[in-house]
Amino acid sequence: MITKATAADVSGLNKLINSGYRGEYSKKGWTTEANILVGSRTNEAELEEIIRDSKNTMLKFTENDRIIGCVLLVEKEKQLYLGMLTVSPELQNSGLGKKLLQEAEIHAQALGLRKIVMTVISIREELIAWYKRHGYIDNGEKEPFPVGDVHISIVEQPLEFIVLRKKNSIIFTY
């Protein structure tokens, strides 16, 4: 079941997001960043701040009282920013990510927002291809990757984000 996360979910979200992106456990799935970054992806303080902000909606996918997926949706100007899409590594390739993307579209439509935008690390080609198969396009726009104590790169090449936007559809137009 997909519902809106609350402050009571912060610990479970933190565990899910970090296990889905970084560390050895994340390598059980195909969306890991463990081969390019070390350290935590997020922390409880950041998640508490996210949930408190009225412009943000964190959706959680629960099964048997366990959070197995989530996505952050942020109202930004006239578009919805999508981030932290996470599915528990052992459940990836089961359709949960697609369901979370569909809920993001429903949320954008409910808010009257006609575009969804996201950033993805440019060298994550398999993930970018997955988003493209789900209607997102790369228009060539790039953003710098944050450098600091949180996102510690372990690869030689410099990292950057590419911006993906939802393709034209019944709901979204450019």
Side-chain angles (χ1 to χ4, degrees), residues 6-141:
T6 67
D9 298 311
V10 165
S11 180
L13 289 167
N14 188 51
K15 180 179 176 187
L16 170 71
I17 294 165
N18 284 310
S19 72
Y21 282 91
R22 311 275 169 81
E24 283 303 309
Y25 188 74
S26 72
K27 293 177 182 178
K28 291 184 178 194
W30 66 271
T31 64
T32 183
E33 292 177 347
N35 57 340
I36 57 174
L37 296 163
V38 295
S40 297
R41 171 63 177 82
T42 191
N43 58 53
E44 290 191 12
E46 179 185 32
L47 292 168
E48 287 170 358
E49 187 177 315
I50 285 169
I51 288 174
R52 274 195 308 268
D53 188 331
S54 63
K55 293 284 186 187
N56 300 336
T57 299
M58 179 70 83
L59 297 178
K60 64 178 181 172
F61 196 121
T62 55
E63 187 175 82
N64 300 322
D65 296 324
R66 179 176 160 236
I67 301 173
I68 57 173
C70 68
V71 64
L72 171 62
L73 306 172
V74 181
E75 293 178 61
K76 285 189 173 182
E77 300 167 11
K78 295 182 181 184
Q79 59 190 8
L80 188 71
Y81 176 81
L82 185 148
M84 290 190 189
L85 178 63
T86 310
V87 173
S88 186
E90 76 275 6
L91 298 172
Q92 291 177 9
N93 284 327
S94 66
L96 296 179
K98 182 178 181 176
K99 288 177 184 175
L100 287 163
L101 283 181
Q102 290 168 340
E103 284 298 318
E105 291 182 16
I106 291 167
H107 185 75
Q109 184 179 30
L111 294 173
L113 301 174
R114 301 172 62 87
K115 297 178 189 175
I116 295 180
V117 63
M118 72 177 75
T119 56
V120 181
I121 299 171
S122 61
I123 63 173
R124 299 196 62 205
E125 294 174 9
E126 189 176 6
L127 184 60
I128 293 165
W130 185 83
Y131 281 119
K132 286 180 176 180
R133 287 192 302 275
H134 289 89
Y136 288 81
I137 59 169
D138 174 4
N139 65 1
E141 187 180 346

